[in-house]
């Protein structure tokens, strides 16, 4: 199973706080991470070349720098041939009939995992999906009128795949990504520079 192994490496860097007591020598005043996106997300939706339109997506590589409680995040478009599975890369997906760009919930959760240095258990992923419902995602299904072709295109993307298995999935307007990240990160506290724990909410 070579594909996206880096997504499935288990770490101890993120956990719900009630399940992992913090040693006394690591305790600090809990502080919510502050997200600072230095790349305008709407810039990712412009300036596509023909190969990106033909592919139906633009690959976007994210980088982060942690400065205390501040999480400084930037991103840049990359070409398919420059993709490396150890990088943090997600898909900005183009829907031709509406001339708009989207991101899948799978990629949102993956990006959050990479930003917080951890892997969410299934229970946490489901909680995140529920929290993101407020951003009014669209359900894409091969059986939903008007969405069959879009669904099929997403299913056929090569690595990095913006979905897990072939089933209905939720997509968000690309320009809501910053809001989605802030919404979820606001529910986490960072009591130690190398550990991100979920706040008791």
């Amino acid at each position: 199973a070579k594909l996206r192994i880096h997504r499935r490496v288990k770490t101890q860097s993120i956990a719900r706080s009630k399940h992992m007591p913090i040693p006394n020598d690591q305790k600090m005043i809990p502080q919510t991470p502050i997200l600072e996106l230095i790349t305008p997300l709407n810039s990712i939706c412009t300036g596509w070349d023909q190969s990106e339109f033909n592919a139906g997506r633009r690959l976007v590589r994210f980088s982060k720098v942690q400065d205390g409680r501040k999480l400084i995040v930037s991103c840049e478009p990359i070409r398919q041939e420059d993709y490396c599975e150890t990088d943090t890369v997600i898909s900005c997906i183009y829907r031709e009939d509406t001339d708009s760009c989207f991101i899948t919930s799978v990629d949102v959760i993956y990006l959050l995992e990479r930003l917080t240095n951890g892997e969410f258990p299934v229970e946490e992923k489901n909680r995140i999906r529920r929290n993101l419902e407020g951003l009014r995602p669209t359900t894409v299904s091969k059986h939903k009128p008007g969405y069959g072709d879009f669904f099929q295109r997403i299913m056929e993307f090569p690595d990095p795949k913006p979905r897990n298995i072939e089933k209905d999935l939720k997509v968000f307007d690309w320009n809501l990504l910053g809001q989605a990240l802030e919404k979820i990160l606001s529910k986490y506290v960072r009591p130690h520079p190398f550990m991100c724990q979920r706040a008791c909410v």
Side-chain angles (χ1 to χ4, degrees):
K2 177 183 175 185
L3 305 180
R4 307 193 75 168
I5 291 173
H6 66 286
R7 286 202 177 190
R8 297 174 173 82
V9 174
K10 294 189 181 300
T11 74
Q12 298 300 317
S13 56
I14 187 162
R16 297 190 68 199
S17 55
K18 71 176 184 180
H19 290 150
M20 184 184 291
I22 306 167
N24 287 330
D25 61 351
Q26 292 184 6
K27 286 184 178 177
M28 295 168 55
I29 298 173
Q31 292 184 313
T32 302
I34 298 174
L35 178 67
E36 184 176 323
L37 271 169
I38 60 176
T39 307
L41 288 174
N42 58 3
S43 69
I44 299 297
C45 299
T46 62
W48 289 34
D49 62 29
Q50 195 56 50
S51 67
E52 291 171 317
F53 281 119
N54 292 343
R57 69 171 175 177
R58 166 175 271 183
L59 294 183
V60 187
R61 180 169 58 205
F62 280 75
S63 303
K64 68 170 183 177
V65 175
Q66 190 175 323
D67 180 12
R69 62 184 294 203
K70 187 180 295 185
L71 204 55
I72 304 168
V73 178
S74 60
C75 63
E76 61 178 342
I78 64 168
R79 302 182 67 84
Q80 179 71 49
E81 55 267 31
D82 296 328
Y83 166 65
C84 175
E85 67 174 17
T86 56
D87 290 338
T88 302
V89 179
I90 61 174
S91 299
C92 177
I93 304 169
Y94 180 67
R95 186 177 176 194
E96 187 174 7
D97 55 341
T98 60
D99 189 30
S100 50
C101 295
F102 296 90
I103 181 173
T104 67
S105 62
V106 171
D107 267 352
V108 172
I109 291 172
Y110 164 65
L111 182 55
L112 282 162
E113 287 180 320
R114 300 288 286 196
L115 292 178
T116 55
N117 299 324
E119 182 182 28
F120 298 115
V122 173
E123 175 189 358
E124 194 66 39
K125 288 180 180 179
N126 290 336
R127 185 177 292 107
I128 289 170
R129 290 189 181 98
R130 288 195 296 272
N131 280 322
L132 292 177
E133 282 295 317
L135 298 182
R136 298 174 178 249
T138 299
T139 300
V140 178
S141 166
K142 63 181 174 182
H143 303 298
K144 189 174 180 180
Y147 285 89
D149 290 343
F150 189 49
F151 174 86
Q152 196 57 42
R153 165 156 268 183
I154 295 173
M155 293 301 116
E156 291 174 354
F157 284 138
D159 285 338
K161 299 180 188 297
R163 48 90 176 183
N164 290 324
I165 59 176
E166 190 161 336
K167 67 171 186 177
D168 298 355
L169 73 164
K170 300 285 181 76
V171 299
F172 299 85
D173 184 288
W174 173 263
N175 288 322
L176 291 178
L177 176 57
Q179 193 175 336
L181 296 176
E182 287 180 345
K183 185 179 181 69
I184 303 305
L185 286 172
S186 70
K187 299 183 181 301
Y188 285 82
V189 294
R190 190 178 298 276
H192 185 271
F194 304 104
M195 185 183 299
C196 184
Q197 295 190 314
R198 189 174 191 278
C200 290
V201 294

